[in-house]
Amino acid sequence: MTTRFDQHITEVLIPQEAIARRVAAMGEEVSAAFENSCPLLVGVLKGSALFMADLVRHMKIPLEMDFMAVASYADQEQRVSSGAARITKDLDNVIEGRDVLLVEGIVDTGMTVGYLLRSLEARQPRSIRLCTLLDKPARRIVQVPIAFRGFEIPDRFVVGYGLDFRRLYRNLPYIGVLSGEATGLNRS
Ligand code: IMP
Ligand code: MG
């Protein structure tokens, strides 16, 4: 007998339909904000991949896409932060003079996007704004300006719709909470 890959999901925090509705609305919102421009959307791999793919399908303006990856400070399983981040995949595009939208799956401590925003700002884009599907403000360390936010969530470790725990669960179509048994987290 095979094991259900989602057997450790104890709660669906954001159902698939709610994500779809919100992402569609965000697509409209972001399109309106970039009406007279051709923005470069920069997705942060790998967590934003599903969000980015759905978001752009709801955008009705010309745009370009690029991706970056960071080895983040975080040993997420232990929720330890050392403050260090490193770009492991950089942009293919020059962003000087461009309107840039950084697209993230989740902002937690803010250290990852804080680092990325600093790095991108140094390249002198015309503007840079941050769009995140999820915002977990309870654990914020670095204050980052979020221009477009999908959902504010409580301080729980969530997976699905691009977000992983030890590289798994990204393909869940909803945002769910993993059992503390599976993660050693969310014990409260
Ligand atoms: P930061 O703490 O804002 O720098 O977030 C760093 C990264 O940790 C995010 O880009 C995610 O990859 C990951 N992360 C933070 N919270 C969660 C969560 O609840 N589930 C899955 N990944 C998370
Ligand atoms: Mg991860």
Side-chain angles (χ1 to χ4, degrees):
M1 201 177 89
T2 54
T3 310
R4 282 178 58 94
F5 87 109
D6 62 350
Q7 65 175 334
H8 296 300
I9 303 295
T10 53
E11 188 189 329
V12 176
L13 198 62
I14 312 175
Q16 185 172 359
E17 301 73 26
I19 296 172
R21 276 195 304 275
R22 185 71 191 110
V23 173
M26 290 179 85
E28 302 285 338
E29 201 186 325
V30 175
S31 296
F34 289 99
E35 218 166 10
N36 300 309
S37 134
C38 176
L40 178 69
L41 272 61
V42 174
V44 185
L45 294 172
K46 310 179 179 71
S48 75
L50 277 67
F51 173 43
M52 176 101 151
D54 286 340
L55 181 72
V56 294
R57 276 180 278 193
H58 289 99
M59 292 185 62
K60 308 285 161 47
I61 58 167
L63 60 82
E64 293 178 36
M65 296 168 67
D66 205 339
F67 295 93
M68 286 180 92
V70 286
S72 106
Y73 71 87
D75 186 41
Q76 290 154 26
E77 294 86 43
Q78 292 166 39
R79 308 179 125 191
V80 172
S81 65
S82 71
R86 180 170 58 88
I87 293 171
T88 56
K89 186 235 173 284
D90 209 335
L91 296 176
D92 295 328
N93 291 262
V94 171
I95 63 167
E96 189 178 339
R98 299 287 308 266
D99 291 314
V100 175
L101 184 69
L102 188 62
V103 180
E104 243 300 15
I106 184 166
V107 179
D108 185 16
T109 65
M111 295 175 86
T112 305
V113 283
Y115 170 80
L116 283 171
L117 286 170
R118 280 198 310 281
S119 161
L120 293 175
E121 270 160 11
R123 305 176 196 190
Q124 302 182 313
R126 184 161 83 147
S127 68
I128 180 154
R129 278 185 272 186
L130 173 62
C131 174
T132 184
L133 179 71
L134 303 181
D135 177 14
K136 204 198 285 188
R139 291 177 9 100
R140 197 64 32 84
I141 294 169
V142 175
Q143 298 307 319
V144 286
I146 299 175
F148 308 97
R149 158 192 1 241
F151 301 91
E152 182 174 314
I153 64 163
D155 186 12
R156 314 281 296 279
F157 194 86
V158 294
V159 294
Y161 198 64
L163 300 178
D164 74 307
F165 174 68
R166 294 186 180 163
R167 298 181 301 283
L168 295 178
Y169 305 106
R170 293 192 198 275
N171 56 321
L172 287 175
Y174 54 82
I175 303 284
V177 178
L178 264 184
S179 72
E181 189 193 351
T183 61
L185 303 174
N186 294 327
R187 275 188 292 239
S188 57

